[in-house]
Structure formats: structure tokens, C-alpha cells
Amino acid sequence: MNPNDIIAAKNSGKSIPTQDLHSFISGYVEDRIDDTTMTGLLKAIFDHGMTHDEIYTLVDIMIHSGKQMHFEHLDEYVCDKHSIGGVGDKTSLIIAPLLATAGLYLPMIAGRSLGHTGGTLDKLETIPGFRADIPIVEFQKLVKNNHCGILAQTSEICPADGKIYALRDVTGTIASVPLIVGSIMSKKIAEGIQGLVLDIKVGNGAFMPTLEKATELAEMLKEVGEHFGVKTDLVYSNMDQPLGRFSGMGCEVQEAIDCLHSEGPEDTTAVCFKLASKLMIQSGKAKDEAESNSILNTLIENGSAYEKFEMMIAAQGGDLNACDFSPAYTLEIIAEKSGIIQSMDTTQIGWGLVDMGCGRKQKDDILDPSAGLECHHKIGDDVKKGDVLFTCFCHDEEKLKMGVEKITNSVIIGYEEVEFSLFYN
Ligand code: URA
């Protein structure tokens, strides 16, 4: 079938034959199919979904659009964690060095900002000199030596995902189960890992706002993981408010450092420990969550997890001493009445952050390392009229005003007592 017939077939609810899906995606990777035509296919998949077999095929095609890493020669468990979107999620920066210190190997492939959510790579690249675009031969050596590393999706690894991810970001085709599964699982399987934990974000800042949709996504991710021989565990975490105290660019790197010094916010630390415990148990390093927490706490308290973080950053060219995230402009958002914080519109906060320079509206937008916000209060907190809810900052006064305008109405204050649970399971 030609590309337009393939799109028409999907739009009429039919499955795409393996060969046709393969030629469409390889045609796009090799620039024989343009962005507009690919957008047609993405929208058709977004609207009509894919069967399980189509999803397996999609993952397989995306894996084989590039090379795969191999770690069979290593003596310890090789694994990764992946969080599905989110605002303020800096857990990869903490979990990679923490688990590496515990002896596990983590060859992480991280992504850039997607829609209203932040990207681990964008945050890491606020560190002067940090390189995530590393040839995989070099990256595999780095993982062997340091037990961890964070790689960008490069032209060598899942190039099909690289192109499609950037296009989905600007065409409103992000929140689709088959497309998210294809994107995440192709990269994870290409890493050559044995085990994986997935942080399934649920709530108004997640790609999947309801537990029902999030469960559908999670079960498909797990099914694909197991199909390709990767032991996959799931954690459902609440994204009805930003994670941690800071959301944005360099300020999230700083929060990750704080967590590695035992000085991070409780919620960020709790999500990291919960996710890390799944891999500690999978690998046999801990028998349960309590034992995992005790081991990981020791590794933080004795300084070795932070040392590993420094080593990981330096091995990829980053200079932590050269970091300067001080913003040129700052604005506060104030509570307009007294009461209890009932809810936050986390997607709206994410879009405000994008306006301020933490995400892309066009494929080639340049991000602002100093941009972000500090969240002074969370759901369930008592606030008084005039209290500061957020401090927002970045390098461009106009962008800051635009972001602040979006974030200003994102918090609802009322009078009901509200409980916020960080996890759904
Ligand atoms: N993370 C990814 O890598 N891909 C998606 O589609 C969503 C989150």
C-alpha cells in the first residue's frame, strides 16, 4: 500500500500489515516520507489505536531502526527505570547514581521535554559541558566502568523514535497508548536491560489523567516488556501536582543534588525510593522495600550516591562547578484568599513552564537553563491571603510574564480538608 492508503486503512479501523508499517516508518526515517504524511499516520493511530500485534510490530520496527546495546558480559543486574511524563520529575537523576552505587548497572536512555512535561535530557544539558549524544560503543564502556550513564536517543539508537517523538511533540499526538508504548519500550529494549520499573504518572499533569487510562497504558507497557524478555514492574504515582519543590530546568538538577544529600523534598525522595526498591528486589539486592530503603539510605548518608552522581556527570563531560542557574527575572504568584489548597492544574503549570523556556513549542526552540519555579505550597496546605504560592523565574521578562499568567489561575483554594496520596498502589 502507498502511505495515503495506509493512513486511510487505519482511519477506517483496519490493522496495518507488518510490511506496510515497516515501509512507512523506514520511509520517514530515511526522509522519503515527509512530516505532513507522518502526521497523518500519527493522527490515525491516535484516533483509532492499534492491536496488540501491531504494537509489538511497531516496537520491533523502532528497535531495529537502529542498533542495540549489549551487556551480557556484566556480572550484575542491568536495568532501568522510566517515568511517563510529569511536571517536576527529576527521579532519573537520583535513581541512576543511587542504584549504581548499590551495584546495579543502569544504561539509561532519557528523553527531551514532551508537550507540557519536562525532559531529563534538557535538565542535564543545563550542566555546562554535559554530553548525552555519545556513540554507543563509548556509552557501553562508560556504563561498564561507572555502572550508570544517561544517553540521548541518538541516530544510533531507535532513530525512528527520535524523529517521531519530535513530531508528536508539536502535532498533538502525544497521549496515545500505542505511540507511548512504541516510543518508550523500543528505547528500553534497545538498552539491552534485564529489568525495568515504570513510573506510571496518573492525574491532571499526566498524559493519562485517569487511573483507568493509566492502567491501560501500564498493562500494555508491561506486556510488551515481558514479550521482549524484560522483567517489568509498575508503580502508579500521583501527578495531580508537580513533584518536589522545584520544576523546570537547572533548578531540578539542584533538587536532585539535594536529594542525594538527604536534603530533598519528601515526595521526590519517596518516589525515588519506591521505584528504586522495585529494581533492588528484582535484582535480589534486597528482599523487600524496607531492606531496600535501609540500604539506599546508607548509600545517601555516607555520601557515596552523590559521589557517583558527580562521577556520572564528569564522565559525560559535565562540570558541576560551572553551573549557574541564577535567573535574570523573578515573579511571585500570591494566594488571593485564605483557605486550603484543594487542587492544582498541573498541565497548566507545565504549559506555563514551557512558555518560560522549559519546553518546546517548535521543534528547534532553544530552552533556558535558568527557567523554572519553586512551589511553596502543595495540595492540602493551609494558606493565608498574600502567601507566596510559586516563585517563577527565567531569563526573558516577556516569557516569564506569559508563563506566570498561565500558572496564576492553576491553584484552587477552598475550605475542605484534602488528603493527597503520592501512590495509587
Ligand atoms: N516518554 C517517552 O520516551 N515517550 C513517550 O511517548 C512518552 C514518554
Side-chain angles (χ1 to χ4, degrees), residues 82 84-85 114 165 168 179-180 183-184 187 207:
H82 192 89
I84 323 286
L114 192 61
Y165 189 94
R168 285 170 59 217
L179 297 178
I180 296 178
S183 167
I184 293 175
K187 285 176 290 198
F207 295 133

Side-chain angles (χ1 to χ4, degrees), residues 77-115:
Y77 201 63
V78 184
C79 56
D80 194 4
K81 84 97 211 169
H82 192 89
S83 297
I84 323 286
V87 177
D89 188 289
K90 66 284 289 171
T91 52
S92 293
L93 305 186
I94 302 157
I95 290 174
L98 181 57
L99 287 179
T101 314
L104 278 57
Y105 287 100
L106 291 103
M108 277 191 178
I109 299 177
R112 302 198 179 278
S113 69
L114 192 61

